[in-house]
Each structure stands twice: as structure tokens, then as C-alpha cells.
Amino acid sequence: MSDELQFRFVHRRGLFSLEVEGRFGANAVNGLYGPSGSGKTTLLRCLAGLEPQVRGEVRFNGDVWQDEAGCFVPPHRRQVAMVFQQGALFAHLDVRGNLEYGLKRTPVAERRLGFDEVVDALGLGHLLARGTPRLSGGEVQRVAIGRALLASPRLLLLDEPVAALDRRSKQEIFPYLRELFRAFHLPVVYVTHDMQELSRFASRLTLMEAGKIIVQGEIHELLARLDLPIAGEESAGALIDGEVAGYDSRYLLNEIRFSGGVLWAAGEDRGKGTQVRLRIRARDVSLALHRSEDSSVQNIVAAEVAALARLANGRTLVRLVVGDTALLSRITWRAQDELRLEPGKRVFAEIKSVALHV
Amino acid sequence: MSESEEIWSAVRLTLALASVTTLVLLVIGTPIAWWLARSRSLYKEVVATLVALPLVLPPTVLGFYLLVALGPNGPGGWIAELFGGRTLAFSFTGLVIGSVLYSMPFVVQPIRNAFEALGERPLEVAATLRATPWDAFWSVAVPLARPGFLTGAVLGFAHTVGEFGVVLMIGGNIPGETRVLSVAIFDYVESLQWSQAHLLAAGMLLFSFVVILTMYLLERRFGRSRW
């Protein structure tokens, strides 16, 4: 278990306090999620070495970056690249100059990514000679990410890399991020307050609140738990991993096979055999005792109630087991009582909408 | 010395003084500006005040203290002795020292402002891209603060050219050694040589106008290219 990042920080400044201890997986996209002001960015900055006044300990792959005895490796010697919310490109350099900044300072023997490789992966080829003021928000962030990667970091920290972008720019950058996480095996810590975003990429999840880490774990597991603050959120939902088994070109539906059966997801053909991740929001799942034959809902799977949690607002959150994965459903208290739902009960989950993340 | 030669010698001397002073100020003013922009020390405002003092102090006051300091019984005299002289007052070196102190706020302040406007972010980014602090200073902070350096250099140069009181106090009026333009004008007026005074005064006026206009135009260009 040496191949990971372990940390512990204690810091108080005015009303804000940070008291965290945990670890991030070395070969994973670690999502760091929590409300604004919960200390996510501060934790990230501590890991990068940008908060030297914060006391604590950091170890990465057996190297000590910081300890209580006074050891403190400065940021430029940690080989940690960080992407900030606003890109923070160097205004005096063009795109190429920005991309090459870290590359030039990386000894040739330590370079793991080629310039062309990164430029291609992020689609920056046509922008190289452009000045930074003439880039769109999405392009700025892509350059910032490319610049970070080209420094061949051992750890990549992303601080809400798309939060400043509009919806369209976000959609534009997601495929690049996905490709990047897949192609460049690199531990990543990805900070965001948008679970939708995290559920696309993250394999592990860390939840923060008020300067503390509530829980760390595998993302599918945590998203399916009923006792965490995220369960009460409007966008609460489970993740299901599956594989594209076919495409119905007449109705534009992907056939996704997973351990609990088959689901149909609308959209363009993702290609047979592609591994996909489905996000199914609890509010899009309704429950029935019998399989409905004449419903507009296309995805109906047999499930078993595993646990229930009454939320404060007249809603009940139900965890279902489907195959070997979990599904969440949010129903009303009345529906819970009328269907006499309790752990062990067999039901049919009617899934109104499936978000497909490749 | 002929009249025109007299004038040219004053012009040359003034330009040399302003150039040397500006160079010295860029070299010693930059670290001061950097420290003032980034330090959280309590002494910072004290140092900032010292740097800014020449803005409000009558040049004669500064000149008087400099005269004492540079004279045979001050530190300037001791240094001069090492080089076989008796005093740094009434010498070109003395003028440079005086001008450096006198023009310092005009160079330090714009550079400090430019460094402050940078914020922490670009340097943090540089650090996470393997740049040492020294490297980041030269490859990020200085290029980004370029407009501040330009303004500081122009103001420092122009202010030194226009200096009068301090020079008169510590430099006197030695042709070719300490007799700069502003002093020469004063002399011509005193000795009722109005046409020469007119010539120099108009030259100075034109020079100052062109310098400041150039600066504004450059600032505008820099401002545009940055955003």
C-alpha cells in the first residue's frame, strides 16, 4: 500500500478550520466532493505544497513531502501539477509557450509524455501560436491541463477545472478529460461541487464537509449509501457499470448489459463492447410490485429492496439490489407505506431516464 | 569653453547621470519593490515610507544630509579615501548617489504596483510546473510586470533629468563634472543669458513632453496586448 498519497493536516484560521486525515489512491481518479467552503481547495493546496504554514504530514509513494519534524519539500520539487479553476495561463506567453513551460523544466529522463501526444489528446494543435487572450474558456482550461501534464507530474491536482465554464464548454471538455484519464495513467485528485461531473470520471470518492473528511471510498459504493449527506441531495443517484451489447439504429438506443440485466440508453451508437458507466438518479426510478406491460418506461428491472431511509421532506430513499449492483429510488412516504416496502421485498424498478457516461 | 560646447557638455552630463541612475535604480529598486510587494513584515511600511520620503522632502533637506554624508567626515569621505579622494561630494559619483535616492520612489512604486497586481497565482502555477522561486521570478514575474518596469525606468530617467535642488546642494556647478542642465539653466538666468536659458528650457519642456507621451502610448499598447 505504499503506492499512494497519505496525508494529515490540522489548520485553523479565524472561523475556518481544516482537520483532515486520509489517503488518495495512486492509480485512480479521486473525486473530492463537498459544498463550497468545506476546505477542498485548501486540502489540494496543502498537497501541492502551496500552504507551507499549515502543519501536517504528507507521504507519496514512500517519499516524505511534509512531516511534523519540519521537513517540507517545496512545490517545485514535488512533481505535482495543479490546474486551477480559472486556468491561470501565463499572459506573456502564447499557447505553445504555456504548454512548454513545465516541459522545459522537466529533465529529459523524467519526461513521460511527448508534446505532440498531449497536444493531440487535448485537441490543441490549431491553437499553438495563439495568444492567451484569444482563447475560449474551454480552450484555456485545456491548455492549462496540457501544460500541467507536460511537466510529467507524479500527481495531478484539478481544482474545479470546469466550474468556470458554461454548459457548452463543459460538454466540450469532458471527452478530453475522459480520454486523458484513460490514456495517461496518473493519480488524479479532482475537486468539484458537482456530483454529475465526478460520476463521469472518478473511481474513488472523498466527501468533505466543514473542513473535515466524512468518508472515503469506492464511488459506486458511496453513491449508493443512504446515510451520507449526498443521499439527501436532489441529484442523488447510483452508478452502474456495463457494456454496450448492441445498438438499435431504428430507435437510436444503446443496449447496455450489466449484472442485473439489460438497460436501454438513448443517444448515438457507442460501439459494441465499449465499457460504459450509467448514472441513474434516484428521482428517475419509480417502484412497482408488478411488471407493467403498457408503460412508456422502457427500462424495467427486477430488484430487491435492501434498505430504506426516510428523508425529512416526505420522501423515502430506497436502496435496491439489482444483480450485484445497487440502485437508488426516491419515492414518497405514502408510496412507501402503500407498497409496504421493507428490506427483502421484491419489486420492479422502472427507470425513466438513464445518463450514459462512456 | 565655447558657449555651445558648454551647453552640450551639460546635456551629455545630464543624460549620462540619468542613464546611470536609472540603471542603478532598476538593479537595486527591483528587489526592494519585490520585497515591498510580497512581504508581510511589519517593517514593510517603514521601508516603503523611507523610499517615498523624497516625494515630500524639500530637495535641499535631502541635499544637506547627503552633503554631510558624502563629505570628508561622512561615510562617503571614507569611501573616497580608499580611492585616493577626499570627498564624494562635488563629484559625478556623488551625483549618482544623490539621484538614486531622490528618484527611487519613481522607480520602485510602479514596479511594486506591477508585482502586486500579479497576485500569487502565476507564481504558484510556476512552482507546480517545477520552476524554482528564482526561475519563476525571471520567467514569470518580471515579464508580466514589464509595463511597471517600463514606467519606472521612464519616470526615474525623466525625474533625474529634471533634478535641481539636490544637485545644487551636493554637486555644485563644475562644468563637465556636475553641471547638469537644470543647474545650467539657473546659471544662465542668473547671468541674464536669456537666449541660452530659453533654448535649454524649451528643450527640457519638449523632452519631458515626448517622454511622458511615449510612456502613455506604450502603456496603452501593453494594456491592449495583455487583455
Side-chain angles (χ1 to χ4, degrees):
Chain A
M1 285 296 277
S2 71
D3 212 33
E4 61 174 10
L5 179 66
Q6 292 167 275
F7 58 88
R8 190 168 60 75
F9 296 108
V10 181
H11 183 56
R12 255 179 213 93
R13 188 166 53 194
L15 289 175
F16 177 77
S17 84
L18 181 77
E19 213 176 321
V20 290
E21 181 166 5
R23 49 187 54 187
F24 286 122
N27 275 317
V29 176
N30 298 273
L32 180 52
Y33 179 82
S36 301
S38 57
K40 307 184 297 287
T41 297
T42 308
L43 172 56
L44 218 56
R45 293 175 54 83
C46 288
L47 295 174
L50 297 174
E51 300 284 348
Q53 79 284 4
V54 173
R55 292 191 308 124
E57 285 180 21
V58 195
R59 274 162 224 279
F60 183 66
N61 288 1
D63 295 349
V64 177
W65 281 348
Q66 186 178 347
D67 66 18
E68 295 283 5
C71 159
F72 186 86
V73 177
H76 63 273
R77 298 218 330 260
R78 293 192 183 195
Q79 298 172 30
V80 171
M82 182 154 169
V83 174
F84 296 85
Q85 203 180 114
Q86 308 279 1
L89 298 184
F90 298 130
H92 62 295
L93 299 172
D94 60 9
V95 169
R96 179 185 286 276
N98 270 281
L99 288 171
E100 285 177 345
Y101 189 90
L103 183 68
K104 282 181 186 163
R105 288 161 176 80
T106 306
V108 176
E110 285 177 29
R111 291 183 192 175
R112 275 171 297 141
L113 303 172
F115 185 80
D116 295 335
E117 195 184 351
V118 170
V119 165
D120 286 348
L122 289 165
L124 296 172
H126 62 295
L127 299 172
L128 291 178
R130 201 174 282 188
T132 53
R134 292 177 44 238
L135 297 175
S136 73
E139 288 165 348
V140 166
Q141 290 308 91
R142 267 150 62 199
V143 174
I145 291 165
R147 179 176 68 176
L149 283 175
L150 283 168
S152 294
R154 296 163 68 195
L155 174 69
L156 181 62
L157 306 175
L158 301 173
D159 186 11
E160 310 213 23
V162 302
L165 305 182
D166 56 40
R167 181 186 284 267
R168 214 177 119 181
S169 310
K170 276 187 197 178
Q171 294 304 329
E172 171 200 305
I173 202 170
F174 283 145
Y176 292 112
L177 282 174
R178 198 155 47 212
E179 172 60 22
L180 181 151
F181 297 143
R182 191 167 287 179
F184 308 130
H185 296 284
L186 182 73
V188 175
V189 182
Y190 189 118
V191 166
T192 179
H193 57 260
D194 182 350
M195 187 55 83
Q196 184 82 5
E197 204 177 298
L198 264 194
S199 58
R200 289 168 178 270
F201 313 116
S203 55
R204 296 185 58 78
L205 184 61
T206 299
L207 298 182
M208 278 190 83
E209 208 173 79
K212 290 199 166 60
I213 288 178
I214 304 174
V215 68
Q216 294 196 289
E218 208 274 326
I219 189 166
H220 297 71
E221 230 166 79
L222 295 190
L223 287 185
R225 269 172 65 171
L226 303 180
D227 59 339
L228 297 173
I230 43 172
E233 287 177 8
E234 183 57 28
S235 62
L239 293 182
I240 290 181
D241 286 335
E243 188 185 308
V244 178
Y247 188 67
D248 183 336
S249 55
R250 183 159 164 221
Y251 293 113
L252 310 179
L253 291 169
N254 284 282
E255 183 187 359
I256 314 292
R257 188 158 297 152
F258 75 110
S259 68
V262 164
L263 291 170
W264 296 90
E268 56 194 59
D269 189 353
R270 299 303 178 117
K272 199 173 170 192
T274 308
Q275 297 295 318
V276 294
R277 182 181 266 191
L278 301 170
R279 174 168 162 80
I280 300 172
R281 286 183 299 187
R283 68 167 189 223
D284 293 330
V285 179
S286 41
L287 301 179
L289 296 180
H290 305 283
R291 185 182 281 273
S292 148
E293 299 297 334
D294 50 2
S295 166
S296 70
V297 176
Q298 295 290 307
N299 289 310
I300 301 180
V301 292
E304 188 183 309
V305 175
L308 300 110
R310 280 206 176 218
L311 304 177
N313 53 1
R315 312 285 181 81
T316 294
L317 200 60
V318 185
R319 186 168 76 234
L320 306 158
V321 176
V322 183
D324 60 8
T325 60
L327 204 57
L328 288 186
S329 166
R330 193 167 62 212
I331 56 176
T332 60
W333 288 352
R334 189 163 73 181
Q336 180 194 353
D337 291 346
E338 285 181 3
L339 296 182
R340 299 211 180 82
L341 295 179
E342 54 187 31
K345 183 141 184 153
R346 305 211 134 267
V347 293
F348 290 94
E350 305 186 338
I351 302 164
K352 274 172 283 187
S353 151
V354 172
L356 181 64
H357 302 323
V358 175
Chain B
M1 208 184 278
S2 79
E3 235 166 56
S4 70
E5 209 172 301
E6 230 173 64
I7 290 178
W8 279 118
S9 129
V11 169
R12 269 198 310 272
L13 183 68
T14 306
L15 292 179
L17 176 65
S19 307
V20 173
T21 300
T22 306
L23 270 178
V24 172
L25 271 174
L26 285 177
V27 171
I28 64 171
T30 302
I32 294 175
W34 180 253
W35 184 75
L36 287 176
R38 307 194 35 99
S39 165
R40 289 183 194 145
S41 158
L42 281 176
Y43 299 114
K44 179 171 121 169
E45 298 315 326
V46 176
V47 174
T49 307
L50 286 174
V51 169
L53 265 185
L55 289 175
V56 291
L57 223 49
T60 42
V61 173
L62 185 66
F64 172 68
Y65 283 120
L66 274 169
L67 188 60
V68 173
L70 296 177
N73 299 320
W78 309 332
I79 293 169
E81 256 175 56
L82 297 178
F83 299 95
R86 209 175 67 80
T87 170
L88 281 182
F90 307 109
S91 71
F92 184 73
T93 314
L95 280 196
V96 170
I97 294 173
S99 307
V100 162
L101 289 175
Y102 190 49
S103 297
M104 185 165 305
F106 294 87
V107 179
V108 168
Q109 196 55 44
I111 300 179
R112 175 187 176 176
N113 289 347
F115 281 149
E116 276 174 352
L118 286 185
E120 295 282 331
R121 191 47 55 84
L123 297 160
E124 289 178 352
V125 172
T128 63
L129 295 171
R130 299 174 178 244
T132 63
W134 177 253
D135 178 1
F137 174 77
W138 288 106
S139 62
V140 174
V142 169
L144 283 176
R146 201 168 47 171
F149 279 97
L150 186 76
T151 307
V154 170
L155 285 181
F157 188 90
H159 189 252
T160 306
V161 168
E163 171 184 338
F164 175 69
V166 175
V167 176
L168 205 61
M169 293 291 285
I170 63 173
N173 198 355
I174 307 166
E177 175 76 22
T178 64
R179 190 183 197 217
V180 295
L181 272 174
S182 55
V183 176
I185 294 174
F186 181 73
D187 275 351
Y188 285 131
V189 174
E190 283 244 291
S191 54
L192 299 177
Q193 292 172 277
W194 288 83
S195 59
Q196 284 89 340
H198 262 304
L199 186 69
L200 286 183
M204 290 283 271
L205 189 66
L206 187 69
F207 166 80
S208 308
F209 181 81
V210 168
V211 162
I212 294 174
L213 181 68
T214 312
M215 192 180 76
Y216 281 143
L217 290 177
L218 281 172
E219 255 178 14
R220 225 165 78 143
R221 231 198 82 209
F222 273 120
R224 264 207 210 122
S225 70
R226 275 191 69 185
W227 298 111

